[in-house]
Amino acid sequence: MTTLGGGDASAAAYRYTAADPAALATIHVPTLVQWGEGDPLIEVAAAHKFADAIPGAALIVYPNVGHMPQLEAAEQSATDAATFLKQALGVAAPAAAPAAATPH
């Protein structure tokens, strides 16, 4: 398998999974790691490695999703990203509608 740049996809996957935890530890911005549980290119263990190494990182692993959660679970991953960003920026989430006001 080759990547768009013509390189070996397994080599690209290795670069991601071999990421240096010390380098990841230098990331000091709110970070959300979104990963597909069934990613056939980069195993889910890499997601845990990233989230563990990046200070304060949040991790969401999507079941029944492969390498591209932003496409395969587009609505959920976008909602999760928006929620994460609002929390990271201290933006209050809108209050939930009272149960009595829920449309039937």
Side-chain angles (χ1 to χ4, degrees):
M1 177 184 283
T2 58
T3 62
L4 291 176
D8 181 354
S10 62
Y14 176 78
R15 283 193 301 277
Y16 285 114
T17 57
D20 179 13
L24 294 171
T26 66
I27 298 172
H28 295 288
V29 295
T31 303
L32 173 62
V33 179
Q34 294 179 307
W35 214 276
E37 184 178 54
D39 189 332
L41 298 177
I42 306 171
E43 62 190 30
V44 74
H48 294 278
K49 180 179 179 178
F50 292 160
D52 289 345
I54 300 169
L59 170 63
I60 299 174
V61 176
Y62 297 94
N64 304 312
V65 171
H67 186 67
M68 300 170 72
Q70 295 78 6
L71 296 177
E72 297 172 53
E75 189 172 326
Q76 185 61 54
S77 64
T79 297
D80 292 340
T83 299
F84 174 81
L85 289 171
K86 287 176 185 174
Q87 290 173 346
L89 297 172
V91 176
T102 305
H104 295 2

PDB file of all heavy atoms in Angstrom, residues 27 29-32 51-59 84:
ATOM      1  N   ILE A  27       3.829  19.448  23.874  1.00  0.00           N
ATOM      2  CA  ILE A  27       2.583  20.051  23.395  1.00  0.00           C
ATOM      3  C   ILE A  27       1.829  20.574  24.611  1.00  0.00           C
ATOM      4  O   ILE A  27       1.463  19.807  25.499  1.00  0.00           O
ATOM      5  CB  ILE A  27       1.736  19.030  22.605  1.00  0.00           C
ATOM      6  CG1 ILE A  27       2.508  18.562  21.382  1.00  0.00           C
ATOM      7  CG2 ILE A  27       0.382  19.630  22.223  1.00  0.00           C
ATOM      8  CD1 ILE A  27       1.852  17.401  20.641  1.00  0.00           C
ATOM      9  N   VAL A  29      -1.078  22.720  24.533  1.00  0.00           N
ATOM     10  CA  VAL A  29      -2.352  23.322  24.123  1.00  0.00           C
ATOM     11  C   VAL A  29      -3.422  22.252  24.291  1.00  0.00           C
ATOM     12  O   VAL A  29      -3.128  21.054  24.278  1.00  0.00           O
ATOM     13  CB  VAL A  29      -2.317  23.827  22.659  1.00  0.00           C
ATOM     14  CG1 VAL A  29      -1.315  24.967  22.507  1.00  0.00           C
ATOM     15  CG2 VAL A  29      -1.996  22.696  21.702  1.00  0.00           C
ATOM     16  N   PRO A  30      -4.665  22.658  24.467  1.00  0.00           N
ATOM     17  CA  PRO A  30      -5.725  21.653  24.579  1.00  0.00           C
ATOM     18  C   PRO A  30      -5.701  20.728  23.355  1.00  0.00           C
ATOM     19  O   PRO A  30      -5.642  21.192  22.211  1.00  0.00           O
ATOM     20  CB  PRO A  30      -7.004  22.490  24.613  1.00  0.00           C
ATOM     21  CG  PRO A  30      -6.556  23.814  25.156  1.00  0.00           C
ATOM     22  CD  PRO A  30      -5.181  24.024  24.592  1.00  0.00           C
ATOM     23  N   THR A  31      -5.696  19.445  23.616  1.00  0.00           N
ATOM     24  CA  THR A  31      -5.556  18.456  22.548  1.00  0.00           C
ATOM     25  C   THR A  31      -6.616  17.382  22.684  1.00  0.00           C
ATOM     26  O   THR A  31      -6.767  16.786  23.754  1.00  0.00           O
ATOM     27  CB  THR A  31      -4.155  17.809  22.596  1.00  0.00           C
ATOM     28  OG1 THR A  31      -3.168  18.842  22.495  1.00  0.00           O
ATOM     29  CG2 THR A  31      -3.964  16.805  21.483  1.00  0.00           C
ATOM     30  N   LEU A  32      -7.327  17.138  21.606  1.00  0.00           N
ATOM     31  CA  LEU A  32      -8.301  16.051  21.539  1.00  0.00           C
ATOM     32  C   LEU A  32      -7.802  15.051  20.517  1.00  0.00           C
ATOM     33  O   LEU A  32      -7.591  15.391  19.355  1.00  0.00           O
ATOM     34  CB  LEU A  32      -9.678  16.571  21.127  1.00  0.00           C
ATOM     35  CG  LEU A  32     -10.746  15.502  20.868  1.00  0.00           C
ATOM     36  CD1 LEU A  32     -11.029  14.688  22.139  1.00  0.00           C
ATOM     37  CD2 LEU A  32     -12.020  16.152  20.343  1.00  0.00           C
ATOM     38  N   ALA A  51      -2.316  10.220  23.704  1.00  0.00           N
ATOM     39  CA  ALA A  51      -3.088  10.865  24.768  1.00  0.00           C
ATOM     40  C   ALA A  51      -2.357  10.813  26.106  1.00  0.00           C
ATOM     41  O   ALA A  51      -2.421  11.764  26.883  1.00  0.00           O
ATOM     42  CB  ALA A  51      -4.460  10.222  24.883  1.00  0.00           C
ATOM     43  N   ASP A  52      -1.660   9.720  26.352  1.00  0.00           N
ATOM     44  CA  ASP A  52      -0.905   9.603  27.604  1.00  0.00           C
ATOM     45  C   ASP A  52       0.294  10.548  27.633  1.00  0.00           C
ATOM     46  O   ASP A  52       0.660  11.053  28.687  1.00  0.00           O
ATOM     47  CB  ASP A  52      -0.419   8.165  27.814  1.00  0.00           C
ATOM     48  CG  ASP A  52      -1.542   7.195  28.145  1.00  0.00           C
ATOM     49  OD1 ASP A  52      -2.653   7.651  28.503  1.00  0.00           O
ATOM     50  OD2 ASP A  52      -1.310   5.974  28.023  1.00  0.00           O
ATOM     51  N   ALA A  53       0.901  10.785  26.480  1.00  0.00           N
ATOM     52  CA  ALA A  53       2.122  11.582  26.426  1.00  0.00           C
ATOM     53  C   ALA A  53       1.860  13.086  26.369  1.00  0.00           C
ATOM     54  O   ALA A  53       2.694  13.872  26.799  1.00  0.00           O
ATOM     55  CB  ALA A  53       2.966  11.168  25.222  1.00  0.00           C
ATOM     56  N   ILE A  54       0.703  13.490  25.831  1.00  0.00           N
ATOM     57  CA  ILE A  54       0.392  14.908  25.701  1.00  0.00           C
ATOM     58  C   ILE A  54      -0.293  15.375  26.987  1.00  0.00           C
ATOM     59  O   ILE A  54      -1.360  14.871  27.338  1.00  0.00           O
ATOM     60  CB  ILE A  54      -0.509  15.164  24.478  1.00  0.00           C
ATOM     61  CG1 ILE A  54       0.197  14.715  23.200  1.00  0.00           C
ATOM     62  CG2 ILE A  54      -0.903  16.632  24.389  1.00  0.00           C
ATOM     63  CD1 ILE A  54      -0.703  14.675  21.971  1.00  0.00           C
ATOM     64  N   PRO A  55       0.290  16.325  27.685  1.00  0.00           N
ATOM     65  CA  PRO A  55      -0.291  16.771  28.960  1.00  0.00           C
ATOM     66  C   PRO A  55      -1.742  17.234  28.813  1.00  0.00           C
ATOM     67  O   PRO A  55      -2.053  18.083  27.976  1.00  0.00           O
ATOM     68  CB  PRO A  55       0.602  17.945  29.381  1.00  0.00           C
ATOM     69  CG  PRO A  55       1.898  17.713  28.661  1.00  0.00           C
ATOM     70  CD  PRO A  55       1.520  17.056  27.355  1.00  0.00           C
ATOM     71  N   GLY A  56      -2.618  16.636  29.608  1.00  0.00           N
ATOM     72  CA  GLY A  56      -4.019  17.039  29.630  1.00  0.00           C
ATOM     73  C   GLY A  56      -4.836  16.629  28.410  1.00  0.00           C
ATOM     74  O   GLY A  56      -5.984  17.062  28.277  1.00  0.00           O
ATOM     75  N   ALA A  57      -4.283  15.810  27.534  1.00  0.00           N
ATOM     76  CA  ALA A  57      -5.009  15.426  26.321  1.00  0.00           C
ATOM     77  C   ALA A  57      -6.243  14.591  26.661  1.00  0.00           C
ATOM     78  O   ALA A  57      -6.258  13.842  27.632  1.00  0.00           O
ATOM     79  CB  ALA A  57      -4.109  14.631  25.380  1.00  0.00           C
ATOM     80  N   ALA A  58      -7.264  14.766  25.838  1.00  0.00           N
ATOM     81  CA  ALA A  58      -8.472  13.946  25.937  1.00  0.00           C
ATOM     82  C   ALA A  58      -8.447  12.952  24.780  1.00  0.00           C
ATOM     83  O   ALA A  58      -7.915  13.252  23.707  1.00  0.00           O
ATOM     84  CB  ALA A  58      -9.713  14.822  25.848  1.00  0.00           C
ATOM     85  N   LEU A  59      -9.019  11.797  24.994  1.00  0.00           N
ATOM     86  CA  LEU A  59      -9.040  10.748  23.977  1.00  0.00           C
ATOM     87  C   LEU A  59     -10.458  10.238  23.797  1.00  0.00           C
ATOM     88  O   LEU A  59     -11.147   9.939  24.780  1.00  0.00           O
ATOM     89  CB  LEU A  59      -8.140   9.577  24.388  1.00  0.00           C
ATOM     90  CG  LEU A  59      -8.226   8.299  23.553  1.00  0.00           C
ATOM     91  CD1 LEU A  59      -7.803   8.542  22.110  1.00  0.00           C
ATOM     92  CD2 LEU A  59      -7.393   7.194  24.185  1.00  0.00           C
ATOM     93  N   PHE A  84     -15.424  19.705  23.025  1.00  0.00           N
ATOM     94  CA  PHE A  84     -14.070  19.803  23.572  1.00  0.00           C
ATOM     95  C   PHE A  84     -13.555  21.237  23.485  1.00  0.00           C
ATOM     96  O   PHE A  84     -13.008  21.772  24.457  1.00  0.00           O
ATOM     97  CB  PHE A  84     -13.129  18.851  22.826  1.00  0.00           C
ATOM     98  CG  PHE A  84     -11.698  18.995  23.246  1.00  0.00           C
ATOM     99  CD1 PHE A  84     -11.234  18.383  24.396  1.00  0.00           C
ATOM    100  CD2 PHE A  84     -10.812  19.760  22.501  1.00  0.00           C
ATOM    101  CE1 PHE A  84      -9.920  18.534  24.800  1.00  0.00           C
ATOM    102  CE2 PHE A  84      -9.493  19.917  22.896  1.00  0.00           C
ATOM    103  CZ  PHE A  84      -9.052  19.298  24.047  1.00  0.00           C
TER     104      PHE A  84
END
